[in-house]
Amino acid sequence: MPASTTATKGRKVLGRLSLPERNFVADALRTETLGGVLLLLAAIAALVWANSGVKESYESVRDFHLGPASLGLELSVGHWAADGLLAVFFFVAGIELKRELVAGDLKDPRAAVLPVVAALCGMAVPALVYTLVSVTGGGSLAGWAVPTATDIAFALAVLAVIGTSLPSALRAFLLTLAVVDDLFAILIIAVFFTDDLDFAALGGAVVGLAVFWLLLRKGVRGWYVYVPLALVIWGLMYNSGIHATIAGVAMGLMLRCTTHEDEAHSPGEHIEHLVRPLSAGLAVPLFALFSAGVAVSGDAIGEVFTRPETLGVVLGLVVGKAVGIFGGTWLAARFTRAELSEDLAWPDVFAVASLAGIGFTVSLLIGELAFEGDEVLTDEVKAAVLTGSLIAAILASVLLKVRNAKYRKLCEAEELDEDLDGIPDIYEQDNPEYHLRMADIYERKAAEHRRLAEVTAGASEENNGPA
C-alpha cells in the first residue's frame, strides 16, 4: 500500500499524496471497504448462528470433514477456511508488500522509517501489554501474538459505517501500517507456530515455488498453469508443518510489480486487481463465518475481563495498539526532524492508531494457532478479540467524529475540480496552463454575471416605467 506517511528531513508527516498514489489508494479502498462490510456481516451472522437455537448446526458444519485423506488433506470446513481460504488473503498481502518494496515508498529506506517503526511499535507494545497482564495474573504466555495484528478491511468497514471523511493521507497511513503489519504477522506465524517439520514435503514445496518463479521469469501465461501449481505448492506446504498461508505469501512476493515501457500496469497489480475481490469478498468473510462463532453471554463477556489471557488480548488491542503506533510515529518523526502536515494534528494520528486496534482476521487465526488443543480457551480468546476490536472501533469512531468537519473540508479540497479536466485542482497549482484555464473560466463567469445583471436591470426598468 502507498505510504505518503514518510518522515524524512524536509518532508511532511502525513502530507498530501501524489496523484498516482492517491488514485491507487482510492482503488484499493473501494474493494477493501466492501470486503470489510461483508466481513462485518459474516461475523454478525456467525455470532447469531452460534448463539441461536440451532447452534448445533453451526458446529456440525464447521467441524464437517472433507478432502482427500490420502494426501493428508481431510480437513474440517473451519480448517479449510483458516488454512486454505486465508492463503488467498495472504497471497494478496504478498503482492501488496512486493509493490511497496519495489515501486512504493518503502523502496526508499529513509521514506520507510516512519511506517515501519510505527508498525513495529504497534506490534511490540500490544505483545508487551499481553505479557505483563499474563505474568501478573499467572496466565499463559502462548497468546502474546494475538493482539499484534490489524484488520484493515474491518477498520475500513468501520469508517464506511460511521461515515467519516478521512483524508487520503490518513487512509494511506492506515493501509501502509497494515502492509508492514501483515509482513511481521507472516513472520510470527512462520517462526513461532511451526511445530514438527516434514522436510520431504517442505522440499517439494520449495521445488514447486522454484518452478513457479521460473515460469514467471519466462513470461509463461495462463491461469490453467499457475492455479494447479499453486494448489500443489499449498498442499505440500500444509503437509510440511509450516502454516499453509506462507505459500500464498511466497507466491505473491514472486510476482513482478514494476512496469515495463509498454505496460500500463505490472503483472502483480493486474493479478491483484483480479484476486482481491475473491479475497475480500469470499475468502475472508467465510473465514470469519467459521471462526467468529463463539458463545456470547453476560458471564462469558465478564470472564473476558477477569481471565489474564483474555484481558491481555483486550488491553493489547485497545491500549497497546494505540499507544504503540502513536508513540512509534511520534518518535520516528521526532528523530528524523520531520513536521506533521499543517492540515492535521497529533490527535488525528492517535485516532487512526486506535482504529488499528481492530485485530479481527489475523488475530483470530493466531488465537487458534496459539491455543490449539484447548477449545475452551480458544473460544474465550476469540471472544476477547471480538470484544477488544469492538471497543477499539467505538473509541476510534468517537475520536474521528470529533474532527470530522475538518476532514470533510480536506476531502472537498482534494476532490475540487473547477476546470473539469479530471485532475483535482490542488494537484495543478504549480501548472501555468491550469492558471490560464482558471482565468478564462473566471472571466466567462464574470461576463455571465454582467449579462444577467444587465438583463435584470432592463426588466426592472420596464416594470417601473410609465403605466
Side-chain angles (χ1 to χ4, degrees), residues 166-438:
L166 205 63
S168 58
L170 285 176
R171 290 177 182 257
F173 177 58
L174 186 60
L175 292 170
T176 305
L177 281 175
V179 170
V180 181
D181 195 296
D182 285 343
L183 168 63
F184 289 105
I186 291 161
L187 294 175
I188 287 172
I189 291 171
V191 173
F192 294 100
F193 296 103
T194 297
D195 298 323
D196 297 328
L197 284 176
D198 183 328
F199 288 100
L202 180 59
V206 171
V207 171
L209 288 171
V211 173
F212 190 89
W213 181 78
L214 284 172
L215 291 174
L216 290 172
R217 292 278 292 180
K218 296 295 183 180
V220 176
R221 297 186 178 184
W223 65 268
Y224 45 84
V225 174
Y226 291 101
V227 172
L229 178 58
L231 291 174
V232 171
I233 294 170
W234 176 87
L236 289 168
M237 189 68 76
Y238 175 83
N239 282 291
S240 74
I242 296 176
H243 200 269
T245 54
I246 303 301
V249 177
M251 287 184 279
L253 287 170
M254 289 181 181
L255 294 175
R256 177 168 59 84
C257 291
T258 53
T259 56
H260 292 163
E261 291 184 2
D262 58 341
E263 293 178 331
H265 301 284
S266 68
E269 289 175 309
H270 177 66
I271 293 173
E272 180 187 3
H273 179 74
L274 295 176
V275 179
R276 184 186 287 277
L278 176 63
S279 169
L282 180 67
V284 175
L286 280 178
F287 168 75
L289 180 64
F290 293 111
S291 293
V294 295
V296 177
S297 64
D299 293 338
I301 294 174
E303 289 176 1
V304 165
F305 296 96
T306 56
R307 184 159 186 163
E309 294 90 347
T310 51
L311 179 60
V313 169
V314 172
L315 292 179
L317 289 171
V318 177
V319 178
K321 273 290 183 182
V323 172
I325 292 174
F326 178 82
T329 305
W330 186 87
L331 287 172
R334 173 69 178 81
F335 287 103
T336 54
R337 300 180 183 178
E339 296 179 357
L340 187 67
S341 172
E342 60 272 9
D343 293 328
L344 299 172
W346 283 107
D348 299 320
V349 180
F350 187 81
V352 172
S354 299
L355 191 64
I358 300 174
F360 191 78
T361 305
V362 180
S363 289
L364 290 176
L365 174 62
I366 294 177
E368 291 181 355
L369 296 174
F371 298 104
E372 188 175 8
D374 189 337
E375 291 187 12
V376 174
L377 187 52
T378 297
D379 282 349
E380 289 177 349
V381 167
K382 286 183 179 181
V385 170
L386 295 173
T387 303
S389 297
L390 178 60
I391 295 173
I394 293 172
L395 174 62
S397 299
V398 172
L399 294 174
L400 292 171
K401 274 295 186 181
V402 170
R403 294 269 291 169
N404 199 39
K406 175 67 175 178
Y407 298 153
R408 190 178 297 112
K409 290 180 181 178
L410 292 175
C411 289
E412 289 172 355
E414 289 180 0
E415 298 292 337
L416 185 63
D417 183 18
E418 286 191 310
D419 60 348
L420 303 177
D421 65 344
I423 301 175
D425 296 340
I426 200 168
Y427 291 97
E428 298 188 286
Q429 292 176 349
D430 296 328
N431 183 359
E433 293 183 2
Y434 163 75
H435 292 288
L436 290 175
R437 288 198 303 272
M438 292 307 300

